[in-house]
Amino acid sequence: MKKQVSSIVALLIVVGVVMMFLFANGDIGHPKAKLEQEMRQSQQIAEDWKTVGVASHDLAAYISYPDTKETHVFSIYVNRPGLSFGWFFRGGGTLSAVDRGILEAHLEEGKQHAFLSMNHAGVVRVEIDDGTEVKTVELEPEEPFVLVLPTDAGNITFYAADGTIVEPEENPI
Protein backbone atom coordinates (compact mmCIF):
# COMPACT_ATOMS: atom_id res chain seq x y z
CA MET A 1 0.00 0.00 0.00
CA LYS A 2 2.85 2.36 0.88
CA LYS A 3 4.49 1.66 -2.50
CA GLN A 4 1.26 2.54 -4.31
CA VAL A 5 0.98 5.87 -2.53
CA SER A 6 4.64 6.62 -3.26
CA SER A 7 4.12 5.79 -6.95
CA ILE A 8 1.06 8.03 -7.17
CA VAL A 9 2.89 10.91 -5.45
CA ALA A 10 5.86 10.47 -7.81
CA LEU A 11 3.54 10.48 -10.83
CA LEU A 12 1.80 13.64 -9.63
CA ILE A 13 5.17 15.35 -9.13
CA VAL A 14 6.27 14.40 -12.67
CA VAL A 15 2.99 15.64 -14.14
CA GLY A 16 3.32 18.88 -12.14
CA VAL A 17 6.89 19.44 -13.35
CA VAL A 18 5.86 18.80 -16.98
CA MET A 19 2.93 21.23 -16.66
CA MET A 20 5.22 23.89 -15.13
CA PHE A 21 7.71 23.38 -17.98
CA LEU A 22 4.96 23.71 -20.60
CA PHE A 23 3.58 26.83 -18.91
CA ALA A 24 7.04 28.44 -18.54
CA ASN A 25 7.78 27.61 -22.17
CA GLY A 26 4.58 29.35 -23.35
CA ASP A 27 2.92 26.12 -24.49
CA ILE A 28 -0.28 26.51 -22.47
CA GLY A 29 -2.73 29.05 -23.79
CA HIS A 30 -6.35 29.99 -23.16
CA PRO A 31 -9.37 27.72 -23.66
CA LYS A 32 -11.53 28.59 -26.68
CA ALA A 33 -14.58 29.12 -24.48
CA LYS A 34 -12.77 31.88 -22.55
CA LEU A 35 -11.20 33.83 -25.42
CA GLU A 36 -13.58 36.77 -25.16
CA GLN A 37 -13.03 36.99 -21.40
CA GLU A 38 -9.24 36.82 -21.89
CA MET A 39 -9.39 39.46 -24.64
CA ARG A 40 -11.41 41.84 -22.48
CA GLN A 41 -9.00 41.43 -19.59
CA SER A 42 -5.69 41.57 -21.50
CA GLN A 43 -6.71 44.48 -23.74
CA GLN A 44 -8.66 46.26 -20.99
CA ILE A 45 -11.93 46.32 -22.91
CA ALA A 46 -14.93 47.75 -21.09
CA GLU A 47 -17.73 45.35 -20.21
CA ASP A 48 -20.33 47.51 -22.01
CA TRP A 49 -18.51 47.22 -25.36
CA LYS A 50 -19.98 44.83 -27.92
CA THR A 51 -17.89 42.06 -29.45
CA VAL A 52 -18.15 40.25 -32.77
CA GLY A 53 -15.85 37.43 -33.68
CA VAL A 54 -15.21 34.04 -35.16
CA ALA A 55 -13.07 31.17 -33.94
CA SER A 56 -12.25 28.42 -36.42
CA HIS A 57 -10.01 25.46 -35.72
CA ASP A 58 -6.76 27.42 -36.18
CA LEU A 59 -7.55 31.14 -36.00
CA ALA A 60 -9.81 33.35 -33.90
CA ALA A 61 -10.51 37.03 -34.60
CA TYR A 62 -12.57 39.56 -32.66
CA ILE A 63 -13.53 43.23 -32.76
CA SER A 64 -14.81 45.03 -29.66
CA TYR A 65 -16.40 48.46 -29.87
CA PRO A 66 -18.69 50.86 -27.97
CA ASP A 67 -22.28 51.59 -29.06
CA THR A 68 -21.08 54.73 -30.87
CA LYS A 69 -18.73 52.64 -33.06
CA GLU A 70 -16.25 55.54 -32.91
CA THR A 71 -13.32 53.28 -32.02
CA HIS A 72 -12.45 49.60 -31.72
CA VAL A 73 -10.00 47.05 -30.41
CA PHE A 74 -9.27 43.94 -32.46
CA SER A 75 -7.68 40.71 -31.27
CA ILE A 76 -6.21 37.76 -33.14
CA TYR A 77 -5.54 34.39 -31.50
CA VAL A 78 -3.98 31.23 -32.92
CA ASN A 79 -4.32 27.60 -31.98
CA ARG A 80 -0.74 26.49 -32.53
CA PRO A 81 -0.07 23.01 -33.88
CA GLY A 82 2.18 20.62 -32.02
CA LEU A 83 2.75 20.27 -28.30
CA SER A 84 0.78 23.27 -27.13
CA PHE A 85 -2.57 23.57 -25.46
CA GLY A 86 -5.09 26.33 -25.98
CA TRP A 87 -5.21 29.61 -27.84
CA PHE A 88 -2.44 32.22 -27.93
CA PHE A 89 -2.72 35.98 -28.47
CA ARG A 90 -0.99 36.91 -31.71
CA GLY A 91 -1.87 40.55 -32.27
CA GLY A 92 -4.35 43.27 -31.61
CA GLY A 93 -5.05 46.87 -30.85
CA THR A 94 -6.49 49.59 -33.05
CA LEU A 95 -5.72 49.97 -36.76
CA SER A 96 -7.07 52.54 -39.15
CA ALA A 97 -7.62 49.79 -41.76
CA VAL A 98 -10.34 48.32 -39.54
CA ASP A 99 -12.04 51.73 -39.34
CA ARG A 100 -11.55 52.85 -42.96
CA GLY A 101 -12.28 49.60 -44.72
CA ILE A 102 -11.36 45.96 -44.23
CA LEU A 103 -8.24 44.57 -42.59
CA GLU A 104 -7.05 41.24 -43.96
CA ALA A 105 -4.93 39.69 -41.22
CA HIS A 106 -2.99 36.60 -42.12
CA LEU A 107 -0.43 34.47 -40.41
CA GLU A 108 2.50 33.47 -42.54
CA GLU A 109 2.46 29.91 -41.24
CA GLY A 110 -1.32 29.72 -41.09
CA LYS A 111 -3.84 28.19 -43.40
CA GLN A 112 -6.49 30.80 -42.67
CA HIS A 113 -6.88 34.55 -42.71
CA ALA A 114 -9.25 36.93 -41.02
CA PHE A 115 -11.13 39.91 -42.40
CA LEU A 116 -12.08 42.53 -39.80
CA SER A 117 -14.04 45.73 -40.34
CA MET A 118 -16.04 48.31 -38.44
CA ASN A 119 -17.91 48.42 -41.77
CA HIS A 120 -17.91 52.18 -42.21
CA ALA A 121 -17.62 51.38 -45.92
CA GLY A 122 -21.09 49.79 -45.82
CA VAL A 123 -20.22 46.30 -47.07
CA VAL A 124 -23.41 44.31 -47.61
CA ARG A 125 -22.19 41.24 -49.45
CA VAL A 126 -19.13 39.02 -49.71
CA GLU A 127 -18.67 36.66 -52.64
CA ILE A 128 -16.29 33.72 -52.38
CA ASP A 129 -15.48 32.19 -55.77
CA ASP A 130 -13.56 28.92 -55.50
CA GLY A 131 -13.55 28.39 -59.26
CA THR A 132 -16.43 25.91 -59.10
CA GLU A 133 -19.14 27.87 -57.34
CA VAL A 134 -19.71 31.31 -55.87
CA LYS A 135 -20.82 31.44 -52.25
CA THR A 136 -22.44 34.61 -50.96
CA VAL A 137 -22.37 35.94 -47.41
CA GLU A 138 -24.84 38.72 -46.64
CA LEU A 139 -23.78 41.38 -44.11
CA GLU A 140 -25.56 44.21 -42.33
CA PRO A 141 -24.31 47.45 -43.94
CA GLU A 142 -23.76 49.34 -40.68
CA GLU A 143 -22.58 46.50 -38.45
CA PRO A 144 -18.95 45.52 -37.80
CA PHE A 145 -17.99 42.08 -39.09
CA VAL A 146 -15.32 39.42 -38.80
CA LEU A 147 -14.79 36.56 -41.24
CA VAL A 148 -12.22 33.76 -40.96
CA LEU A 149 -11.61 31.90 -44.21
CA PRO A 150 -9.08 29.40 -45.52
CA THR A 151 -6.26 31.02 -47.49
CA ASP A 152 -7.20 28.82 -50.46
CA ALA A 153 -10.93 29.72 -50.35
CA GLY A 154 -10.70 31.37 -53.76
CA ASN A 155 -11.34 34.93 -54.90
CA ILE A 156 -13.00 36.97 -52.17
CA THR A 157 -14.86 40.13 -53.17
CA PHE A 158 -16.52 42.62 -50.82
CA TYR A 159 -19.39 44.75 -52.17
CA ALA A 160 -20.80 47.98 -50.73
CA ALA A 161 -24.53 48.74 -50.98
CA ASP A 162 -23.99 50.80 -54.17
CA GLY A 163 -22.23 47.85 -55.86
CA THR A 164 -18.68 49.21 -55.57
CA ILE A 165 -15.93 46.80 -54.58
CA VAL A 166 -14.19 47.40 -51.26
CA GLU A 167 -10.61 46.10 -51.27
CA PRO A 168 -9.14 44.77 -48.02
CA GLU A 169 -5.78 46.01 -46.72
CA GLU A 170 -3.33 43.18 -46.04
CA ASN A 171 -1.48 43.06 -42.75
CA PRO A 172 0.60 40.08 -41.63
CA ILE A 173 0.18 39.40 -37.95
Side-chain angles (χ1 to χ4, degrees):
M1 178 73 166
K2 203 172 193 179
K3 270 188 166 180
Q4 255 185 336
V5 171
S6 295
S7 296
I8 291 172
V9 169
L11 180 63
L12 289 174
I13 290 171
V14 168
V15 167
V17 168
V18 168
M19 293 301 287
M20 286 187 329
F21 173 76
L22 290 172
F23 185 75
N25 200 33
D27 291 325
I28 297 179
H30 304 282
K32 187 176 187 178
K34 295 193 176 195
L35 283 180
E36 183 177 341
Q37 177 184 352
E38 194 287 324
M39 173 191 68
R40 286 183 179 278
Q41 182 180 3
S42 67
Q43 299 227 38
Q44 301 173 346
I45 297 170
E47 285 299 318
D48 63 339
W49 280 27
K50 296 178 181 177
T51 297
V52 295
V54 176
S56 70
H57 182 267
D58 299 316
L59 184 66
Y62 298 91
I63 301 174
S64 295
Y65 55 93
D67 284 336
T68 61
K69 299 177 189 169
E70 69 202 24
T71 188
H72 73 278
V73 174
F74 78 93
S75 303
I76 306 284
Y77 290 84
V78 294
N79 186 7
R80 296 191 305 210
L83 186 60
S84 64
F85 305 97
W87 290 79
F88 299 86
F89 180 75
R90 187 59 182 264
T94 302
L95 286 175
S96 60
V98 177
D99 278 327
R100 280 194 319 264
I102 304 166
L103 170 69
E104 178 183 359
H106 59 88
L107 305 172
E108 292 180 21
E109 70 276 5
K111 296 178 180 156
Q112 296 183 323
H113 50 180
F115 297 91
L116 303 100
S117 177
M118 288 300 293
N119 207 8
H120 293 303
V123 174
V124 295
R125 186 174 83 248
V126 181
E127 290 183 358
I128 305 161
D129 183 353
D130 68 3
T132 306
E133 67 177 306
V134 177
K135 295 178 184 171
T136 301
V137 177
E138 301 292 332
L139 300 171
E140 292 296 321
E142 297 185 19
E143 292 300 317
F145 67 86
V146 175
L147 298 173
V148 174
L149 299 170
T151 53
D152 62 355
N155 293 324
I156 302 164
T157 309
F158 296 87
Y159 292 95
D162 64 2
T164 59
I165 294 174
V166 180
E167 295 289 339
E169 294 183 36
E170 282 190 55
N171 188 0
I173 302 285

